[in-house]
Amino acid sequence: MKSKSLTGKNAIVTGASRGIGKGIALDLAKRGANVLITYNSSPTPAEEVITEIKKQSQSETESEGSQAVRAQVDAFAIKASGSDTSAPKAIVDVAVSRWGKIDIIVNNAGAREDYDFEDMTLDNWEGQLNTNLRFPVFLIKEATPYFGSAPRIVNVSSSYAIDGHTGSLAYVAAKGSIEAVTRSLSKELGHKYNATVNCIRPGPVNTELWARSIRDPEVQREWEPTIRGTPAAPRVAEVGDVADVVGFLVEEGSRWVTGQVLNVSGGLFFE
């Protein structure tokens, strides 16, 4: 059982109905945080995450005895599209109405389309920049009046930001930009709000999307040497490997870490 180091903290995790975001939301709840998650399409997966969080909290409460009843976490989900300019304010308004303050933001929601550079359209470009860059930036902006005493912000980048992955120009541009935004906001928000702002840069992670893609024999052959050569272990990351790093970055023990982009890739990628 994880330490309840985040009891009394209120967290927003975007794009948390599946994959890395789901793992982060579950982990923060295990640490005692109240959690608001966002989703973009069907509500069913998000509702399942909320149910899992509440069951997990109830189970822990029962195992700890009646004195732990007050420690049960609050969790709920709202629909919010990264392309919707009104979404950041709507998310913050709901969180503040429910909790009064915001302590943690994990900007995990993202979108990626692959295409050759020559085929890129303005809609391709703007759609991905809106979801992967504008949405997280303005979510942070809307939240600033309601920050708790030591807010923690974690942005999610991608190894694509440094390996210059072909066929994903807008996604690469957005992820590189969110890393630059992290460095700038760490200075500005640190001075104003006692905030830390960090970014994680995952490599391949064993999510539903990865599992589908790796079924292709050609994709398997392409990734096999990379996976075999991963320094930490000859495998891709599990969601928990990433969630544990985020958990550290939002706890008090990370108070002297800010403006950093952490490679969470088992040693595959370096600056």
Side-chain angles (χ1 to χ4, degrees):
M1 186 179 296
K2 299 212 179 219
S3 165
K4 298 299 184 183
S5 55
L6 298 178
T7 298
K9 301 293 186 181
N10 305 317
I12 296 171
V13 185
T14 64
S17 62
R18 56 175 59 86
I20 295 173
K22 174 182 176 180
I24 291 169
L26 289 168
D27 185 77
L28 298 187
K30 283 182 180 177
R31 297 171 193 259
N34 300 316
V35 182
L36 181 164
I37 71 170
T38 75
Y39 64 94
N40 185 39
S41 52
S42 168
T44 302
E47 291 167 354
E48 290 172 352
V49 175
I50 297 305
T51 298
E52 189 171 348
I53 288 174
K54 291 183 176 179
K55 283 183 178 178
Q56 151 185 297
S57 177
Q58 180 64 34
S59 175
E60 291 171 354
T61 297
E62 290 172 353
S63 68
E64 292 169 2
S66 60
Q67 290 184 343
V69 170
R70 293 189 301 274
Q72 290 189 45
V73 302
D74 182 30
F76 65 106
I78 67 169
K79 185 172 184 178
S81 170
S83 62
D84 182 359
T85 57
S86 66
K89 185 177 186 303
I91 294 167
V92 169
D93 285 349
V94 170
V96 172
S97 174
R98 186 121 166 181
W99 298 325
K101 67 182 177 73
I102 297 168
D103 302 290
I104 297 165
I105 298 174
V106 181
N107 280 310
N108 169 76
R112 191 186 108 206
E113 290 181 66
D114 294 344
Y115 46 79
D116 291 336
F117 174 62
E118 293 86 352
D119 296 328
M120 182 175 66
T121 67
L122 186 60
D123 285 344
N124 293 145
W125 175 265
E126 290 187 341
Q128 292 191 67
L129 268 289
N130 288 343
T131 298
N132 296 312
L133 184 60
R134 185 188 68 194
F135 179 42
V137 167
F138 279 84
L139 178 59
I140 297 168
K141 180 179 183 293
E142 292 293 341
T144 54
Y146 310 103
F147 277 162
S149 59
R152 300 282 187 264
I153 298 166
V154 179
N155 298 317
V156 179
S157 180
S158 165
S159 59
Y160 280 26
I162 56 169
D163 74 0
H165 197 82
T166 60
S168 304
L169 181 64
Y171 183 77
V172 170
K175 291 303 186 182
S177 297
I178 201 66
E179 294 183 7
V181 162
T182 295
R183 297 182 182 101
S184 179
L185 285 181
S186 69
K187 296 180 178 180
E188 186 165 358
L189 301 187
H191 292 158
K192 290 181 179 178
Y193 302 102
N194 193 35
T196 64
V197 187
N198 290 290
C199 186
I200 61 167
R201 187 193 285 149
V205 181
N206 186 22
T207 62
E208 300 94 327
L209 181 61
W210 170 262
R212 285 198 301 270
S213 68
I214 207 68
R215 292 191 193 112
D216 184 332
E218 185 176 339
V219 174
Q220 288 183 29
R221 285 192 297 272
E222 179 184 344
W223 275 101
E224 185 179 356
T226 301
I227 294 171
R228 193 170 56 244
T230 302
R235 63 174 177 84
V236 300
E238 296 298 332
V239 169
D241 296 325
V242 180
D244 280 345
V245 176
V246 174
F248 164 71
L249 290 173
V250 301
E251 289 185 331
E252 173 62 18
S254 67
R255 61 190 172 276
W256 212 237
V257 180
T258 193
Q260 302 303 303
V261 179
L262 280 70
N263 281 306
V264 188
S265 63
L268 274 178
F269 301 98
F270 300 93
E271 291 284 5

